Every structure is written in structure tokens, then in C-alpha cells.
Amino acid sequence: MRIGLDMMGGDYAPAEAVKGVKLFLSKASDAHLMLIGDEQALTPLLTEAALDQSRYTVVHSSQVIGMNEHPTKALKEKPHSSISIGFHLLQNKKIDAFISAGNTGAMMVGAIYSIKVIEGIQRPTISTILPREDGSTGLLLDVGINADCKPENLVQFAILGSLYAKYIQGVENPKIGLLNLGEEEGKGNLLAQATYPLLKENPLVNFVGNVEGRDVFKNTADVIVCEGFTGNVVLKLAESFHDIAVRRNIKDEYLDRFDFEQYGGTPVLGVAEPVIIGHGISGERAFCNMIVLAEQMIQTKLLEKIRESFVVTPEA
């Protein structure tokens, strides 16, 4: 398998990206890495890292899309950027997955318009890992790219999240919960009220009902579904737990699990090829873990499972 990595994306690239590659290559893997970036900047870092040259190939890019650039305009005007080249390679089957911690908007535009959405899926989604108090992990989606949703969107997010939990997190029959302000059926706003019966009737998900904010970090549900506005608020709140612990010098094993670097990045679920977006401040562990996630997505044939599910999905 060939995994493409944008070496220029992120606040600490390419140095941290090279360190992440070194960390990944220290593990046993059949993956061959395609490192996309400025050769002049990468060569001394790769030489210093003393990596096994048979396990990676450098693909030169002469441009970089900045974090604050307009996504569509930048992709159009910078065809030789690391992100543009990455999507070109993925679109033409030269790589099997593409990873970047660069401009999130450019990554989303590239994923949707270059790679395309899987037939039957209305909108792609992104998720976040939820560290649970019992030591396990849950999943929350959407966490930001779909601020406004229809009930049918949330049902599709539930199916995508269920497949991700099963094949990537190893949960045999994931429990799906709808984030709400009460447990009882009929609670919540119009979106939640309309989504509940659709989830309840859908044979592709193991729906367990509404879950409240106090259930987010418990094992009440393995996958929690909501629209992106609420999901992003929960995500940023969760990230702040680790930041507060670090600032206050609090040493706690559970709070340490809120460090995003442990999980790397998030896949864009619903597009036709594996695309993983990392945090702009990603360090070496995050880059390494994003490569591991891409490897898992390819090995488990997650996208094939998604295509199969949406062929028979009534909502598709």
C-alpha cells in the first residue's frame, strides 16, 4: 500500500512531519510512504533522520497552501502545492490514502470535488474520538463541517460512525446514541425529534436512544450523533480539558487521553478514498498516528464496507 503525506502542512511542518515518519517507520509495516513537499526543505531533514530509503519516496512540490488562504481559490491557483499534488496522486490511484495537517478547508474541498462523495451519501462527515472513563473510546460525529443538518444526514452519519467503530475501533455491534437534552423520546429540538424515529427504524444501526451531555464520556453509546455545530462545541470543550490539566500541572491518566496527538487526525467519512485531516498544531506522534489510521482504513477495506452499506440503505 502507498500512503501519501503532505510534509508541508501544519504549523510545525516539515520538521515534525519528518519526525512522525521516522516514528512510523520504526514499526513493522508494509506501507510505502509518498512524502509530498519541497525537496530542498525535506532533504536535510530526511538525511539527518537516517531513514530507510526503500520505504519512502519524495514527491516534489514547489508551492504551499497557507492555513488562512481561501480553499477553492488556493487549490485552483496553486496546482503545484503539496495538497493539490496529493489529491492528484489519490485521484489517479498513485497512492491509496492521503494525509495532511494543512489547510482544513482545502482538504475538504479537495476531498469532495477531486475524490467525490460515495454514491448514496448526501454529505461527508468528520468525527472525533471520545476518551471514556472506563478506558475505552467512543466516537462523536459530526464535529464541524455540517453545522446545519437534516434528519436524513444524521442517520447517514450514524451508519458511517457505526462502520468506523466496527472496523477501525473493533466494536462488534456499536451502540448508536442521539445527542439530546433528555433521554425520553420526543425530547429536543425539531431536528432531534425528527431524527429519533428514523434511527429507531433503521436496520443498519443499533440505536439505543437519546444520550445527554453527561453520557458523552461514558459507555452509554459507542457512537454519538449530532449536527456539526453542537459537535464542534463538544470537541473544543473536550480539548480544553487537556489544556487546563497541562497549565495547572495536573497529572491524571484519564485527562492525558484528551491529548489529540494520541489519535492523530480524523478521516473524511463518506468520500470515495481515504482522506485524513490532522490538527494544524500536529507534532510527531500525531503524524505517526495519522499514518497508522490510514493503514488501518486500507487494511480493513473500510470504504468497501461503506459502499456496500449505502447501496442497500433506504435513506441513500
Side-chain angles (χ1 to χ4, degrees), residues 172-201:
E172 184 55 37
N173 187 26
K175 297 176 291 185
I176 309 298
L178 176 64
L179 190 60
N180 209 330
L181 47 73
E183 295 180 356
E184 303 84 1
E185 184 173 355
K187 281 291 185 75
N189 56 18
L190 293 176
L191 176 61
Q193 291 176 27
T195 303
Y196 190 105
L198 297 182
L199 288 171
K200 188 176 180 180
E201 296 162 7

PDB file of all heavy atoms in Angstrom, residues 172-201:
ATOM      1  N   GLU A 172     -17.879  -4.709  18.024  1.00  0.00           N
ATOM      2  CA  GLU A 172     -18.621  -5.659  17.197  1.00  0.00           C
ATOM      3  C   GLU A 172     -19.996  -5.156  16.770  1.00  0.00           C
ATOM      4  O   GLU A 172     -20.376  -5.244  15.610  1.00  0.00           O
ATOM      5  CB  GLU A 172     -18.758  -7.003  17.930  1.00  0.00           C
ATOM      6  CG  GLU A 172     -19.442  -8.079  17.102  1.00  0.00           C
ATOM      7  CD  GLU A 172     -18.764  -8.314  15.745  1.00  0.00           C
ATOM      8  OE1 GLU A 172     -17.530  -8.253  15.672  1.00  0.00           O
ATOM      9  OE2 GLU A 172     -19.499  -8.547  14.754  1.00  0.00           O
ATOM     10  N   ASN A 173     -20.768  -4.639  17.700  1.00  0.00           N
ATOM     11  CA  ASN A 173     -22.116  -4.157  17.378  1.00  0.00           C
ATOM     12  C   ASN A 173     -22.307  -2.790  18.033  1.00  0.00           C
ATOM     13  O   ASN A 173     -22.944  -2.669  19.078  1.00  0.00           O
ATOM     14  CB  ASN A 173     -23.176  -5.151  17.871  1.00  0.00           C
ATOM     15  CG  ASN A 173     -24.572  -4.796  17.416  1.00  0.00           C
ATOM     16  OD1 ASN A 173     -24.768  -4.133  16.391  1.00  0.00           O
ATOM     17  ND2 ASN A 173     -25.575  -5.241  18.162  1.00  0.00           N
ATOM     18  N   PRO A 174     -21.742  -1.739  17.431  1.00  0.00           N
ATOM     19  CA  PRO A 174     -21.704  -0.426  18.089  1.00  0.00           C
ATOM     20  C   PRO A 174     -23.082   0.109  18.459  1.00  0.00           C
ATOM     21  O   PRO A 174     -24.029   0.042  17.668  1.00  0.00           O
ATOM     22  CB  PRO A 174     -21.054   0.466  17.024  1.00  0.00           C
ATOM     23  CG  PRO A 174     -20.349  -0.463  16.104  1.00  0.00           C
ATOM     24  CD  PRO A 174     -21.155  -1.715  16.089  1.00  0.00           C
ATOM     25  N   LYS A 175     -23.168   0.629  19.686  1.00  0.00           N
ATOM     26  CA  LYS A 175     -24.412   1.260  20.142  1.00  0.00           C
ATOM     27  C   LYS A 175     -24.429   2.710  19.657  1.00  0.00           C
ATOM     28  O   LYS A 175     -23.472   3.448  19.865  1.00  0.00           O
ATOM     29  CB  LYS A 175     -24.492   1.223  21.673  1.00  0.00           C
ATOM     30  CG  LYS A 175     -24.539  -0.179  22.261  1.00  0.00           C
ATOM     31  CD  LYS A 175     -24.531  -0.144  23.789  1.00  0.00           C
ATOM     32  CE  LYS A 175     -23.187   0.338  24.309  1.00  0.00           C
ATOM     33  NZ  LYS A 175     -23.106   0.278  25.800  1.00  0.00           N
ATOM     34  N   ILE A 176     -25.523   3.094  19.026  1.00  0.00           N
ATOM     35  CA  ILE A 176     -25.647   4.444  18.467  1.00  0.00           C
ATOM     36  C   ILE A 176     -26.574   5.278  19.346  1.00  0.00           C
ATOM     37  O   ILE A 176     -27.696   4.858  19.656  1.00  0.00           O
ATOM     38  CB  ILE A 176     -26.230   4.409  17.035  1.00  0.00           C
ATOM     39  CG1 ILE A 176     -25.456   3.420  16.157  1.00  0.00           C
ATOM     40  CG2 ILE A 176     -26.243   5.809  16.432  1.00  0.00           C
ATOM     41  CD1 ILE A 176     -24.009   3.748  15.962  1.00  0.00           C
ATOM     42  N   GLY A 177     -26.113   6.461  19.739  1.00  0.00           N
ATOM     43  CA  GLY A 177     -26.928   7.366  20.534  1.00  0.00           C
ATOM     44  C   GLY A 177     -27.107   8.700  19.824  1.00  0.00           C
ATOM     45  O   GLY A 177     -26.237   9.146  19.080  1.00  0.00           O
ATOM     46  N   LEU A 178     -28.240   9.343  20.056  1.00  0.00           N
ATOM     47  CA  LEU A 178     -28.525  10.661  19.507  1.00  0.00           C
ATOM     48  C   LEU A 178     -28.333  11.689  20.616  1.00  0.00           C
ATOM     49  O   LEU A 178     -29.000  11.622  21.652  1.00  0.00           O
ATOM     50  CB  LEU A 178     -29.964  10.706  18.980  1.00  0.00           C
ATOM     51  CG  LEU A 178     -30.475  12.054  18.446  1.00  0.00           C
ATOM     52  CD1 LEU A 178     -29.680  12.492  17.224  1.00  0.00           C
ATOM     53  CD2 LEU A 178     -31.967  11.956  18.112  1.00  0.00           C
ATOM     54  N   LEU A 179     -27.408  12.630  20.424  1.00  0.00           N
ATOM     55  CA  LEU A 179     -27.136  13.627  21.454  1.00  0.00           C
ATOM     56  C   LEU A 179     -28.349  14.536  21.621  1.00  0.00           C
ATOM     57  O   LEU A 179     -28.840  15.121  20.659  1.00  0.00           O
ATOM     58  CB  LEU A 179     -25.905  14.454  21.086  1.00  0.00           C
ATOM     59  CG  LEU A 179     -25.350  15.371  22.176  1.00  0.00           C
ATOM     60  CD1 LEU A 179     -24.941  14.574  23.408  1.00  0.00           C
ATOM     61  CD2 LEU A 179     -24.147  16.167  21.643  1.00  0.00           C
ATOM     62  N   ASN A 180     -28.826  14.642  22.860  1.00  0.00           N
ATOM     63  CA  ASN A 180     -30.067  15.369  23.103  1.00  0.00           C
ATOM     64  C   ASN A 180     -30.041  15.947  24.518  1.00  0.00           C
ATOM     65  O   ASN A 180     -29.110  15.698  25.291  1.00  0.00           O
ATOM     66  CB  ASN A 180     -31.270  14.425  22.911  1.00  0.00           C
ATOM     67  CG  ASN A 180     -32.516  15.148  22.457  1.00  0.00           C
ATOM     68  OD1 ASN A 180     -32.733  16.313  22.777  1.00  0.00           O
ATOM     69  ND2 ASN A 180     -33.349  14.442  21.707  1.00  0.00           N
ATOM     70  N   LEU A 181     -31.081  16.694  24.859  1.00  0.00           N
ATOM     71  CA  LEU A 181     -31.137  17.297  26.191  1.00  0.00           C
ATOM     72  C   LEU A 181     -32.005  16.498  27.160  1.00  0.00           C
ATOM     73  O   LEU A 181     -32.292  16.949  28.270  1.00  0.00           O
ATOM     74  CB  LEU A 181     -31.614  18.751  26.106  1.00  0.00           C
ATOM     75  CG  LEU A 181     -32.857  19.069  25.255  1.00  0.00           C
ATOM     76  CD1 LEU A 181     -34.129  18.609  25.896  1.00  0.00           C
ATOM     77  CD2 LEU A 181     -32.896  20.554  24.946  1.00  0.00           C
ATOM     78  N   GLY A 182     -32.373  15.317  26.748  1.00  0.00           N
ATOM     79  CA  GLY A 182     -33.121  14.425  27.621  1.00  0.00           C
ATOM     80  C   GLY A 182     -33.137  13.027  27.049  1.00  0.00           C
ATOM     81  O   GLY A 182     -32.937  12.843  25.841  1.00  0.00           O
ATOM     82  N   GLU A 183     -33.361  12.029  27.889  1.00  0.00           N
ATOM     83  CA  GLU A 183     -33.344  10.638  27.428  1.00  0.00           C
ATOM     84  C   GLU A 183     -34.633  10.227  26.729  1.00  0.00           C
ATOM     85  O   GLU A 183     -34.630   9.358  25.856  1.00  0.00           O
ATOM     86  CB  GLU A 183     -33.108   9.700  28.617  1.00  0.00           C
ATOM     87  CG  GLU A 183     -31.742   9.852  29.273  1.00  0.00           C
ATOM     88  CD  GLU A 183     -31.565   8.900  30.436  1.00  0.00           C
ATOM     89  OE1 GLU A 183     -32.545   8.173  30.763  1.00  0.00           O
ATOM     90  OE2 GLU A 183     -30.475   8.876  31.025  1.00  0.00           O
ATOM     91  N   GLU A 184     -35.747  10.849  27.098  1.00  0.00           N
ATOM     92  CA  GLU A 184     -37.044  10.395  26.617  1.00  0.00           C
ATOM     93  C   GLU A 184     -37.255  10.698  25.132  1.00  0.00           C
ATOM     94  O   GLU A 184     -36.845  11.740  24.628  1.00  0.00           O
ATOM     95  CB  GLU A 184     -38.177  11.049  27.421  1.00  0.00           C
ATOM     96  CG  GLU A 184     -38.100  10.798  28.920  1.00  0.00           C
ATOM     97  CD  GLU A 184     -37.182  11.767  29.652  1.00  0.00           C
ATOM     98  OE1 GLU A 184     -36.599  12.663  28.989  1.00  0.00           O
ATOM     99  OE2 GLU A 184     -37.035  11.612  30.882  1.00  0.00           O
ATOM    100  N   GLU A 185     -37.924   9.781  24.457  1.00  0.00           N
ATOM    101  CA  GLU A 185     -38.292  10.012  23.063  1.00  0.00           C
ATOM    102  C   GLU A 185     -39.211  11.231  22.985  1.00  0.00           C
ATOM    103  O   GLU A 185     -40.100  11.400  23.809  1.00  0.00           O
ATOM    104  CB  GLU A 185     -38.998   8.783  22.493  1.00  0.00           C
ATOM    105  CG  GLU A 185     -39.343   8.889  21.022  1.00  0.00           C
ATOM    106  CD  GLU A 185     -39.899   7.594  20.449  1.00  0.00           C
ATOM    107  OE1 GLU A 185     -39.929   6.574  21.178  1.00  0.00           O
ATOM    108  OE2 GLU A 185     -40.309   7.596  19.276  1.00  0.00           O
ATOM    109  N   GLY A 186     -39.003  12.076  22.018  1.00  0.00           N
ATOM    110  CA  GLY A 186     -39.825  13.277  21.901  1.00  0.00           C
ATOM    111  C   GLY A 186     -39.151  14.513  22.461  1.00  0.00           C
ATOM    112  O   GLY A 186     -39.630  15.631  22.267  1.00  0.00           O
ATOM    113  N   LYS A 187     -38.022  14.318  23.170  1.00  0.00           N
ATOM    114  CA  LYS A 187     -37.284  15.462  23.710  1.00  0.00           C
ATOM    115  C   LYS A 187     -36.474  16.152  22.604  1.00  0.00           C
ATOM    116  O   LYS A 187     -36.210  15.580  21.566  1.00  0.00           O
ATOM    117  CB  LYS A 187     -36.324  14.999  24.813  1.00  0.00           C
ATOM    118  CG  LYS A 187     -36.971  14.754  26.168  1.00  0.00           C
ATOM    119  CD  LYS A 187     -37.428  16.068  26.796  1.00  0.00           C
ATOM    120  CE  LYS A 187     -37.966  15.886  28.194  1.00  0.00           C
ATOM    121  NZ  LYS A 187     -36.914  15.657  29.195  1.00  0.00           N
ATOM    122  N   GLY A 188     -36.063  17.379  22.863  1.00  0.00           N
ATOM    123  CA  GLY A 188     -35.136  18.055  21.984  1.00  0.00           C
ATOM    124  C   GLY A 188     -35.758  19.013  20.999  1.00  0.00           C
ATOM    125  O   GLY A 188     -36.962  19.274  21.021  1.00  0.00           O
ATOM    126  N   ASN A 189     -34.901  19.548  20.110  1.00  0.00           N
ATOM    127  CA  ASN A 189     -35.371  20.461  19.084  1.00  0.00           C
ATOM    128  C   ASN A 189     -36.002  19.686  17.925  1.00  0.00           C
ATOM    129  O   ASN A 189     -36.094  18.453  17.958  1.00  0.00           O
ATOM    130  CB  ASN A 189     -34.219  21.360  18.591  1.00  0.00           C
ATOM    131  CG  ASN A 189     -33.036  20.552  18.076  1.00  0.00           C
ATOM    132  OD1 ASN A 189     -33.151  19.367  17.767  1.00  0.00           O
ATOM    133  ND2 ASN A 189     -31.888  21.194  17.968  1.00  0.00           N
ATOM    134  N   LEU A 190     -36.418  20.405  16.888  1.00  0.00           N
ATOM    135  CA  LEU A 190     -37.109  19.756  15.773  1.00  0.00           C
ATOM    136  C   LEU A 190     -36.226  18.727  15.070  1.00  0.00           C
ATOM    137  O   LEU A 190     -36.717  17.675  14.648  1.00  0.00           O
ATOM    138  CB  LEU A 190     -37.572  20.827  14.771  1.00  0.00           C
ATOM    139  CG  LEU A 190     -38.664  21.787  15.264  1.00  0.00           C
ATOM    140  CD1 LEU A 190     -38.948  22.845  14.207  1.00  0.00           C
ATOM    141  CD2 LEU A 190     -39.939  21.015  15.613  1.00  0.00           C
ATOM    142  N   LEU A 191     -34.922  19.029  14.961  1.00  0.00           N
ATOM    143  CA  LEU A 191     -34.008  18.091  14.309  1.00  0.00           C
ATOM    144  C   LEU A 191     -33.931  16.780  15.083  1.00  0.00           C
ATOM    145  O   LEU A 191     -34.044  15.694  14.501  1.00  0.00           O
ATOM    146  CB  LEU A 191     -32.616  18.717  14.187  1.00  0.00           C
ATOM    147  CG  LEU A 191     -31.521  17.816  13.610  1.00  0.00           C
ATOM    148  CD1 LEU A 191     -31.852  17.363  12.199  1.00  0.00           C
ATOM    149  CD2 LEU A 191     -30.156  18.535  13.642  1.00  0.00           C
ATOM    150  N   ALA A 192     -33.737  16.872  16.382  1.00  0.00           N
ATOM    151  CA  ALA A 192     -33.631  15.667  17.212  1.00  0.00           C
ATOM    152  C   ALA A 192     -34.937  14.877  17.210  1.00  0.00           C
ATOM    153  O   ALA A 192     -34.932  13.641  17.109  1.00  0.00           O
ATOM    154  CB  ALA A 192     -33.246  16.045  18.640  1.00  0.00           C
ATOM    155  N   GLN A 193     -36.052  15.570  17.295  1.00  0.00           N
ATOM    156  CA  GLN A 193     -37.353  14.894  17.314  1.00  0.00           C
ATOM    157  C   GLN A 193     -37.625  14.158  16.003  1.00  0.00           C
ATOM    158  O   GLN A 193     -38.202  13.072  16.005  1.00  0.00           O
ATOM    159  CB  GLN A 193     -38.467  15.907  17.580  1.00  0.00           C
ATOM    160  CG  GLN A 193     -38.456  16.481  18.989  1.00  0.00           C
ATOM    161  CD  GLN A 193     -39.519  17.544  19.180  1.00  0.00           C
ATOM    162  OE1 GLN A 193     -40.544  17.539  18.521  1.00  0.00           O
ATOM    163  NE2 GLN A 193     -39.269  18.476  20.087  1.00  0.00           N
ATOM    164  N   ALA A 194     -37.199  14.750  14.892  1.00  0.00           N
ATOM    165  CA  ALA A 194     -37.430  14.117  13.596  1.00  0.00           C
ATOM    166  C   ALA A 194     -36.434  12.990  13.317  1.00  0.00           C
ATOM    167  O   ALA A 194     -36.741  12.037  12.591  1.00  0.00           O
ATOM    168  CB  ALA A 194     -37.344  15.164  12.490  1.00  0.00           C
ATOM    169  N   THR A 195     -35.231  13.088  13.909  1.00  0.00           N
ATOM    170  CA  THR A 195     -34.196  12.081  13.663  1.00  0.00           C
ATOM    171  C   THR A 195     -34.446  10.803  14.455  1.00  0.00           C
ATOM    172  O   THR A 195     -34.173   9.693  13.968  1.00  0.00           O
ATOM    173  CB  THR A 195     -32.807  12.646  14.033  1.00  0.00           C
ATOM    174  OG1 THR A 195     -32.563  13.834  13.283  1.00  0.00           O
ATOM    175  CG2 THR A 195     -31.715  11.638  13.747  1.00  0.00           C
ATOM    176  N   TYR A 196     -34.965  10.933  15.651  1.00  0.00           N
ATOM    177  CA  TYR A 196     -35.153   9.788  16.550  1.00  0.00           C
ATOM    178  C   TYR A 196     -35.893   8.615  15.883  1.00  0.00           C
ATOM    179  O   TYR A 196     -35.374   7.483  15.865  1.00  0.00           O
ATOM    180  CB  TYR A 196     -35.887  10.234  17.829  1.00  0.00           C
ATOM    181  CG  TYR A 196     -35.912   9.200  18.924  1.00  0.00           C
ATOM    182  CD1 TYR A 196     -35.087   9.321  20.047  1.00  0.00           C
ATOM    183  CD2 TYR A 196     -36.744   8.084  18.858  1.00  0.00           C
ATOM    184  CE1 TYR A 196     -35.094   8.372  21.061  1.00  0.00           C
ATOM    185  CE2 TYR A 196     -36.770   7.122  19.870  1.00  0.00           C
ATOM    186  CZ  TYR A 196     -35.942   7.275  20.960  1.00  0.00           C
ATOM    187  OH  TYR A 196     -35.959   6.336  21.957  1.00  0.00           O
ATOM    188  N   PRO A 197     -37.085   8.822  15.316  1.00  0.00           N
ATOM    189  CA  PRO A 197     -37.795   7.685  14.723  1.00  0.00           C
ATOM    190  C   PRO A 197     -37.067   7.083  13.519  1.00  0.00           C
ATOM    191  O   PRO A 197     -37.173   5.867  13.272  1.00  0.00           O
ATOM    192  CB  PRO A 197     -39.152   8.270  14.316  1.00  0.00           C
ATOM    193  CG  PRO A 197     -38.955   9.737  14.275  1.00  0.00           C
ATOM    194  CD  PRO A 197     -37.911  10.053  15.286  1.00  0.00           C
ATOM    195  N   LEU A 198     -36.327   7.911  12.775  1.00  0.00           N
ATOM    196  CA  LEU A 198     -35.588   7.381  11.627  1.00  0.00           C
ATOM    197  C   LEU A 198     -34.470   6.448  12.079  1.00  0.00           C
ATOM    198  O   LEU A 198     -34.227   5.399  11.470  1.00  0.00           O
ATOM    199  CB  LEU A 198     -35.012   8.531  10.796  1.00  0.00           C
ATOM    200  CG  LEU A 198     -36.005   9.491  10.145  1.00  0.00           C
ATOM    201  CD1 LEU A 198     -35.270  10.548   9.322  1.00  0.00           C
ATOM    202  CD2 LEU A 198     -36.999   8.734   9.268  1.00  0.00           C
ATOM    203  N   LEU A 199     -33.778   6.827  13.149  1.00  0.00           N
ATOM    204  CA  LEU A 199     -32.732   5.956  13.694  1.00  0.00           C
ATOM    205  C   LEU A 199     -33.333   4.692  14.297  1.00  0.00           C
ATOM    206  O   LEU A 199     -32.793   3.590  14.137  1.00  0.00           O
ATOM    207  CB  LEU A 199     -31.925   6.710  14.756  1.00  0.00           C
ATOM    208  CG  LEU A 199     -30.976   7.806  14.254  1.00  0.00           C
ATOM    209  CD1 LEU A 199     -30.416   8.599  15.421  1.00  0.00           C
ATOM    210  CD2 LEU A 199     -29.834   7.203  13.432  1.00  0.00           C
ATOM    211  N   LYS A 200     -34.452   4.847  14.962  1.00  0.00           N
ATOM    212  CA  LYS A 200     -35.128   3.725  15.615  1.00  0.00           C
ATOM    213  C   LYS A 200     -35.554   2.661  14.602  1.00  0.00           C
ATOM    214  O   LYS A 200     -35.506   1.457  14.879  1.00  0.00           O
ATOM    215  CB  LYS A 200     -36.349   4.255  16.374  1.00  0.00           C
ATOM    216  CG  LYS A 200     -37.046   3.236  17.259  1.00  0.00           C
ATOM    217  CD  LYS A 200     -38.175   3.911  18.024  1.00  0.00           C
ATOM    218  CE  LYS A 200     -38.905   2.932  18.924  1.00  0.00           C
ATOM    219  NZ  LYS A 200     -40.009   3.604  19.657  1.00  0.00           N
ATOM    220  N   GLU A 201     -35.921   3.111  13.397  1.00  0.00           N
ATOM    221  CA  GLU A 201     -36.433   2.187  12.377  1.00  0.00           C
ATOM    222  C   GLU A 201     -35.350   1.659  11.447  1.00  0.00           C
ATOM    223  O   GLU A 201     -35.597   0.725  10.680  1.00  0.00           O
ATOM    224  CB  GLU A 201     -37.496   2.915  11.526  1.00  0.00           C
ATOM    225  CG  GLU A 201     -38.731   3.335  12.306  1.00  0.00           C
ATOM    226  CD  GLU A 201     -39.544   4.401  11.574  1.00  0.00           C
ATOM    227  OE1 GLU A 201     -39.204   4.695  10.394  1.00  0.00           O
ATOM    228  OE2 GLU A 201     -40.485   4.937  12.170  1.00  0.00           O
TER     229      GLU A 201
END
